[in-house]
Amino acid sequence: VDLNVDAQRSPTFPIKTHIVTQGHPRTATTLLFNMVATSYFLYLLNHDSENASQLRTIQFKRDDAGKFLKRAEGPYVMKTHNDLSGFLVNDTVLFTAAIDKNEAQEAMERLTRDGHTVAFIQDMESLKEDGVMGLVEKYVGGFGLSSEQGKDLADYFSKWEILRQCCGQQMSARWRNDMLPEKFKRKGLSHHPTCPRYDIDEVEKKFMQTNLFSVIEQYPNMHPMNRPSLNDDDLNGTYCSSYNHLVRTEGLSIWGTPGGRPVRSNLDHAIKHQFLLGTEHLEPEGVALLQNNTYRNVWRYPEEEKKAWLETVKEARDKEYEDAAGAQMQESKRRRRRRRHKQENASSNEERNNDDDSSSDMFDENEGIEESVSVVEISDKATKH
């Protein structure tokens, strides 16, 4: 795709109201999601500017995606690691991720045969060959963007790529390990090849000065795209150095606590379970407690308030539905764990051999342990630093 062509092109991707991005952990699915969401946003600015302000970016971990999409109004971009069998819904197009070109071709044939509309399959083999800028070119043509928008997209993601690796909650596992105090370090991880070179605040400021960052800031619904990861806070020019300082001094982990994953009580797990169930079969008093809230926020309540919150929601929920949905969620969780274990085993040797490839760390996303930000809304903050 020649980014010097001035006029907008006709899109080569099938354009649908609802977009689903999917892939197994460690296949650069956050890059996939951000690139798709941002490109679709620019497409809407060109062709349906009113809906650009209505575009919703969501992360979905439940198994009732089909039901959700059938009743969803307006444009959506959804990120999921779930099996795609539940996403066979009209007016929905898929973008997925694969390990290599062969897997991408097999996935395209399988998904098309199953009746899905597939726009693009991003594979790590091609991404290593072409880099993020090569990926940008595909999206410029795919969404029919103008040459100016293509330049803005390239400028934006050239800096976002660095922040993604070197800053924030879901930074490279290798870079976090490099910065951690000795007592928290993981043995056997190689050093990050590029992050030590950057003045990370300078990169953050330059990212905030890009044209596309400024455009996105005018649309509150798109603000999550202007962060290193979906779980980070808004950038301010020193967010990255402040976050990295906590990693160096307190051993801040991906879960926001020193050294490792926090131990949660059975009460906290029960609260999270209610959020994952969503608002299905829930009376209005229960819906009111879930809407505009997150399980992490409820976790911060005093113990007695948490118990009262949980009791109220459970009383408002249909018991038979809760039992059936809970069993289904547990089975899905077991399947994800099996896939994750298989994927991590397959990629472990490759990761150890990638020290000299600065682009390879785009795949070191820690996504295997990524937490859901909320039931659906990514814009709800999950973690405060």
Side-chain angles (χ1 to χ4, degrees):
V1 177
D2 182 4
L3 295 184
N4 291 317
V5 178
D6 289 330
Q8 296 172 20
R9 309 163 183 82
S10 297
T12 59
F13 292 156
I15 305 298
K16 305 283 188 178
T17 303
H18 302 144
I19 297 177
V20 173
T21 70
Q22 183 264 3
H24 297 318
R26 299 183 183 276
T27 55
T29 55
T30 296
L31 172 64
L32 175 70
F33 174 78
N34 278 47
M35 189 78 76
V36 170
T38 306
S39 300
Y40 186 35
F41 168 70
L42 292 175
Y43 169 86
L44 289 175
L45 286 180
N46 294 339
H47 299 280
D48 189 2
S49 58
E50 183 176 334
N51 260 333
S53 63
Q54 304 302 314
L55 175 60
R56 300 179 71 183
T57 53
I58 65 175
Q59 178 170 302
F60 211 92
K61 297 188 75 174
R62 306 200 313 265
D63 291 324
D64 59 346
K67 292 181 181 179
F68 176 84
L69 287 172
K70 284 178 180 178
R71 65 174 183 266
E73 297 182 359
Y76 276 84
V77 179
M78 176 185 292
K79 178 184 178 183
T80 186
H81 294 305
N82 290 0
D83 182 87
L84 288 170
S85 58
F87 292 85
L88 192 56
V89 182
N90 290 337
D91 211 18
T92 298
V93 63
L94 302 182
F95 289 74
T96 69
I99 294 291
D100 54 33
K101 295 175 184 177
N102 286 337
E103 184 178 277
Q105 181 62 36
E106 291 171 1
M108 176 66 80
E109 294 173 358
R110 183 185 70 255
L111 291 170
T112 303
R113 186 170 59 248
D114 290 344
H116 292 283
T117 301
V118 185
F120 179 67
I121 299 183
Q122 168 190 290
D123 71 89
M124 297 202 301
E125 182 181 353
S126 297
L127 187 53
K128 287 182 180 179
E129 292 173 355
D130 303 332
V132 173
M133 294 306 99
L135 192 62
V136 166
E137 291 183 4
K138 290 182 174 66
Y139 281 89
V140 170
F143 281 96
L145 305 180
S146 69
S147 62
E148 198 63 34
Q149 288 174 321
K151 292 174 184 176
D152 287 346
L153 204 62
D155 186 33
Y156 181 88
F157 275 100
S158 68
K159 297 169 179 61
W160 180 88
E161 175 187 7
I162 297 170
L163 297 182
R164 173 64 175 158
Q165 297 179 53
C166 307
C167 166
Q169 185 173 346
Q170 291 179 353
M171 67 171 68
S172 160
R174 289 190 286 171
W175 179 231
R176 187 183 295 274
N177 201 57
D178 286 344
M179 295 190 291
L180 284 171
E182 198 64 36
K183 64 179 179 179
F184 296 133
K185 286 186 183 295
R186 291 166 53 189
K187 295 181 180 180
L189 274 185
S190 57
H191 295 296
H192 195 281
T194 59
C195 285
R197 306 174 193 167
Y198 298 115
D199 179 337
I200 200 63
D201 280 349
E202 188 64 22
V203 176
E204 179 179 341
K205 290 171 184 174
K206 287 182 177 179
F207 177 64
M208 296 174 68
Q209 291 166 1
T210 62
N211 289 336
L212 187 50
F213 184 98
S214 298
V215 172
I216 289 174
E217 281 299 289
Q218 299 173 36
Y219 292 81
N221 57 311
M222 294 300 295
H223 284 180
M225 299 299 100
N226 276 348
R227 302 169 189 157
S229 78
L230 304 177
N231 288 351
D232 280 300
D233 289 336
D234 292 336
L235 299 181
N236 57 16
T238 59
Y239 173 82
C240 287
S241 63
S242 298
Y243 184 94
N244 290 359
H245 176 73
L246 292 176
V247 176
R248 291 187 173 98
T249 58
E250 298 182 10
L252 195 67
S253 71
I254 188 175
W255 298 282
T257 56
R261 190 167 195 162
V263 178
R264 289 294 174 186
S265 66
N266 289 335
L267 175 60
D268 285 348
H269 284 300
I271 289 169
K272 180 178 178 179
H273 178 71
Q274 292 300 324
F275 275 94
L276 293 178
L277 288 176
T279 57
E280 291 289 331
H281 295 267
L282 194 60
E283 297 296 327
E285 59 269 26
V287 173
L289 291 174
L290 265 70
Q291 285 184 332
N292 301 316
N293 207 347
T294 68
Y295 62 82
R296 290 181 183 272
N297 185 54
V298 179
W299 283 351
R300 300 186 184 101
Y301 293 177
E303 195 75 1
E304 291 305 314
E305 288 186 27
K306 288 199 290 188
K307 291 178 181 178
W309 184 96
L310 180 61
E311 183 178 349
T312 301
V313 173
K314 287 179 72 67
E315 288 179 353
R317 173 104 55 197
D318 179 81
K319 183 66 165 57
E320 185 174 334
Y321 168 80
E322 180 173 355
D323 291 344
Q328 188 178 37
M329 289 169 63
Q330 286 300 316
E331 178 56 29
S332 296
K333 190 174 183 180
R334 284 191 288 270
R335 289 199 300 267
R336 288 196 298 271
R337 282 175 174 168
R338 289 194 293 268
R339 287 198 303 266
R340 185 182 308 156
H341 180 69
K342 181 178 179 180
Q343 181 67 34
E344 288 175 350
N345 286 341
S347 62
S348 59
N349 290 334
E350 183 178 0
E351 286 185 2
R352 284 195 292 270
N353 293 328
N354 278 333
D355 285 356
D356 296 326
D357 183 358
S358 61
S359 68
S360 69
D361 215 66
M362 285 302 297
F363 319 129
D364 181 10
E365 296 190 346
N366 289 305
E367 291 187 71
I369 45 179
E370 181 177 295
E371 290 284 355
S372 168
V373 181
S374 70
V375 179
V376 288
E377 289 293 344
I378 279 178
S379 57
D380 288 337
K381 292 293 182 59
T383 307
K384 298 292 183 183
H385 300 300

